[in-house]
Amino acid sequence: MSFPLLTATAALPALGAVATAAVPAARRTAAKWLALLVSLATLVLAAIVLVRFDPDGDRYQLTESHAWIKDFGVRYELGVDGIAVALLALTALLIPFIILAGWHDADPLETGNKRWRPTQGFFALILAVEAMVIISFEATDVFLFYIFFEAMLIPMYFLIGGFGDRAHQHGEETASTQRSYAAVKFLLYNLVGGLIMLAAVIGLYVVAGSFSLQEIAAARANGSLDMATNTERWLFLGFFFAFAVKAPLWPLHTWLPNAMQEATTPVAVLITAVVDKVGTFAMLRFCLQLFPEASKWATPVILVLALISIIYGALLAVGQRDIKRLVAYASISHFGFIILGIFAMTTQGQSGATLYMVNHGISTAALMLVAGFLISRRGSRLIADYGGVQKVAPLLAGTFLIGGLATLSLPGLAPFVSEFLVLVGTFARYPVVGIIATFGIVLAALYTLVLYQRTMTGPVKPEVSAMPDLRVRELVVVAPLIALLIFLGVYPKPVTDIVNPAVKQTMSDVQKKDPQPEVEAAK
């Protein structure tokens, strides 16, 4: 039997989470180093998966299949295509930076009213989330995917509610109340989506007689599975609703700004750069592959919702006074672009959407982590409390600027390529939608540049006059992300070569072909 590489990639952070949680409270530094070493070892395994994956080979590779719950036809089935490999690598890449950035975020509070904060628990929960996200990308059994899709809510709930942002303006008691509210809201929204999906998962088994994604797809291909139109549409809506909550898509987005505002900065990055990608990934893997006709039927409405997300998220970002809420609303706008690319039903749109997931993860991590370093120095999330930072902390301001320029998709930085592909792919089939979506770029430039102007330029405020520049640990966190933004902005081919074959197969699932140009090329 070959080595179960996919299982090992998910199991390592899971075992690391248990080991980290078991470290005595008095040895919290040892818990941090253990978590970091486990995350780096997971990154090595993810790199091996990436190297062993052949983009031109079978659709699902490195597969594993074992009986699990025989009476219900549930199997432990894993396999990765190009889209899953890219997102698995993104997850494994970001977790070490998240752990390093949050090195002191779970240290005991030094206040008159001391409150116990289990440092080892904080890092154990991050590793647990990593394990569940990775296996969600790997699962090809629908029930197995559902289990971990829902299970990741538990550690995320405790990360949001138990380890909140210390830069709070209204005292510890109010902060605790708002953290609890944000955590409960996150949990309830996602639980409702998950329960609706569970009904759809059961319905799928009743109709198809299997939970295996590959078996259902094969049955569709050979004509042995023929879902009734209304049945397929109801099942699609059950799956899509859960994924739209996770993504998040307007109007199911309202949990995200609260969660990102109240969570520590590394956990906010974990939410939007890692966990939320499971929702958009699942739209490609499950919605389009399992329910191709229903996906085409729902496309007009989904495109409208994606457009609203793009414009609405960007407009609300413009008016924010809180740095973390601004990034949250910007992310809602960006997820609108990703969903737009998926349901444009073009090769360019879906390739751009997949690349956007990767690039958004990197750019949001860079911007948010630098913003977190800024907030930790001043002790405030309010934009109005800053000014002239670039004069006292030029490295911090410079990296903040690059992260912001990536967020607005400046040419030469990674998100530009993905956003351009999404817009071109959308315009090819839905030109009016593509034109309207372009206004999101204009608004992105507005909220990003205004944020930089108000925080980094102008007279130096007395409260920031002694602000230190980036430290070595912080540079180690930010520098590789900035380098990746520049590298993938200039040369995105390593990622597109991996995802393009998988995108073509997804297009084949929904029986869609790219629109032909109306004007013939000159001979």
Side-chain angles (χ1 to χ4, degrees):
M1 181 184 294
S2 60
F3 179 72
L5 183 57
L6 296 185
T7 294
T9 307
L12 181 59
L15 294 174
V18 174
T20 303
V23 174
R27 304 291 301 276
R28 63 174 182 268
T29 302
K32 298 176 184 180
W33 280 105
L34 177 59
L36 180 60
L37 291 174
V38 169
S39 69
L40 291 172
T42 305
L43 177 58
V44 171
L45 287 179
I48 295 172
V49 171
L50 190 62
V51 170
R52 290 189 58 184
F53 181 79
D54 179 9
D56 298 319
D58 296 337
R59 180 170 194 171
Y60 294 106
Q61 299 177 33
L62 305 174
T63 55
E64 302 173 32
S65 181
H66 308 282
W68 184 19
I69 310 175
K70 292 184 179 180
D71 292 342
F72 295 99
V74 180
R75 297 186 63 81
Y76 176 79
E77 281 192 354
L78 305 180
V80 288
D81 60 3
I83 299 169
V85 165
L87 294 174
L88 189 156
L90 171 70
T91 301
L93 174 70
L94 291 181
I95 295 300
F97 296 125
I98 288 172
I99 290 174
L100 268 178
W103 202 252
H104 299 297
D105 283 6
D107 288 348
L109 293 173
E110 299 298 332
T111 64
N113 180 23
K114 290 190 177 181
R115 184 165 55 90
W116 183 62
R117 294 165 65 96
T119 301
Q120 69 276 30
F122 178 77
F123 295 99
L125 289 170
I126 291 175
L127 290 177
V129 172
E130 178 182 23
M132 294 175 187
V133 169
I134 287 175
I135 205 164
S136 297
F137 291 142
E138 297 173 344
T140 56
D141 182 278
V142 177
F143 192 81
L144 177 66
F145 168 83
Y146 171 78
I147 292 296
F148 290 97
F149 180 81
E150 285 292 274
M152 70 179 71
L153 301 180
I154 299 170
M156 286 305 308
Y157 169 81
F158 287 109
L159 282 170
I160 296 169
F163 299 91
D165 189 357
R166 296 182 181 183
H168 205 284
Q169 314 303 315
H170 306 293
E172 179 57 34
E173 185 175 348
T174 303
S176 179
T177 301
Q178 294 191 7
R179 280 198 298 272
S180 298
Y181 171 77
V184 170
K185 188 174 184 179
F186 161 82
L187 188 64
L188 288 179
Y189 267 67
N190 284 275
L191 274 180
V192 169
L195 290 173
I196 293 173
M197 181 184 169
L198 177 60
V201 169
I202 296 170
L204 176 67
Y205 180 74
V206 171
V207 172
S210 174
F211 288 116
S212 172
L213 182 64
Q214 298 179 70
E215 288 181 8
I216 296 172
R220 271 194 173 279
N222 61 32
S224 61
L225 174 61
D226 185 18
M227 291 187 196
T229 300
N230 286 337
T231 301
E232 181 176 339
R233 290 177 179 178
W234 280 111
L235 293 177
F236 167 85
L237 290 174
F239 277 76
F240 181 80
F241 183 86
F243 303 152
V245 172
K246 184 83 80 178
L249 177 68
W250 185 92
L252 306 171
H253 67 284
T254 59
W255 62 267
L256 181 64
N258 296 100
M260 288 187 65
Q261 175 181 318
E262 297 304 326
T264 64
T265 301
V267 173
V269 172
L270 186 66
I271 294 170
T272 191
V274 177
V275 172
D276 288 355
K277 300 299 187 299
V278 178
T280 46
F281 161 80
M283 292 179 189
L284 278 167
R285 171 166 280 191
F286 296 103
C287 287
L288 269 60
Q289 190 170 343
L290 292 174
F291 315 110
E293 293 304 319
S295 297
K296 290 185 283 189
W297 162 77
T299 288
V301 174
I302 294 173
L303 292 180
V304 171
L305 295 178
L307 271 182
I308 295 174
S309 287
I310 291 170
I311 305 301
Y312 171 86
L315 283 173
L316 263 67
V318 171
Q320 291 305 307
R321 296 181 298 172
D322 184 300
I323 297 174
K324 293 173 75 174
R325 288 184 72 88
L326 186 151
V327 178
Y329 280 109
S331 291
I332 291 168
S333 181
H334 295 148
F335 276 105
F337 276 108
I338 294 170
I339 296 170
L340 186 70
I342 292 171
F343 285 91
M345 301 292 183
T346 60
T347 302
Q348 288 174 318
Q350 292 185 358
S351 294
T354 306
L355 186 61
Y356 211 135
M357 292 185 225
V358 175
N359 292 338
H360 173 264
I362 299 170
S363 62
T364 298
L367 177 62
M368 194 71 189
L369 291 175
V370 177
F373 299 149
L374 178 70
I375 291 168
S376 67
R377 284 158 165 75
R378 175 67 176 84
S380 172
R381 300 191 302 257
L382 298 180
I383 296 172
D385 288 342
Y386 296 88
V389 174
Q390 67 180 11
K391 296 177 182 178
V392 296
L395 276 178
L396 192 154
T399 52
F400 190 83
L401 177 61
I402 296 174
L405 293 177
T407 298
L408 64 81
S409 299
L410 183 77
L413 296 174
F416 168 77
V417 181
S418 44
E419 198 163 283
F420 179 78
L421 286 173
V422 166
L423 290 173
V424 169
T426 303
F427 189 84
R429 197 179 294 278
Y430 304 101
V432 175
V433 174
I435 291 170
I436 297 173
T438 305
F439 285 100
I441 301 176
V442 178
L443 293 172
L446 179 61
Y447 63 68
T448 301
L449 296 177
V450 168
L451 172 64
Y452 183 83
Q453 179 191 35
R454 291 178 177 175
T455 56
M456 301 295 165
T457 65
V460 179
K461 289 199 171 184
E463 295 83 0
V464 303
S465 59
M467 181 177 289
D469 212 339
L470 291 180
R471 303 178 179 93
V472 173
R473 173 179 59 85
E474 296 165 337
L475 281 172
V476 170
V477 170
V478 175
L481 298 175
I482 298 296
L484 269 176
L485 287 174
I486 297 171
F487 175 77
L488 292 178
V490 176
Y491 190 65
K493 190 173 183 293
V495 180
T496 55
D497 283 351
I498 292 173
V499 304
N500 283 345
V503 165
K504 290 178 181 177
Q505 289 168 328
T506 303
M507 288 285 290
S508 177
D509 292 334
V510 293
Q511 298 179 345
K512 280 282 192 178
K513 295 183 179 179
D514 291 329
Q516 296 299 312
E518 295 182 3
V519 180
E520 293 185 4
K523 296 182 180 178

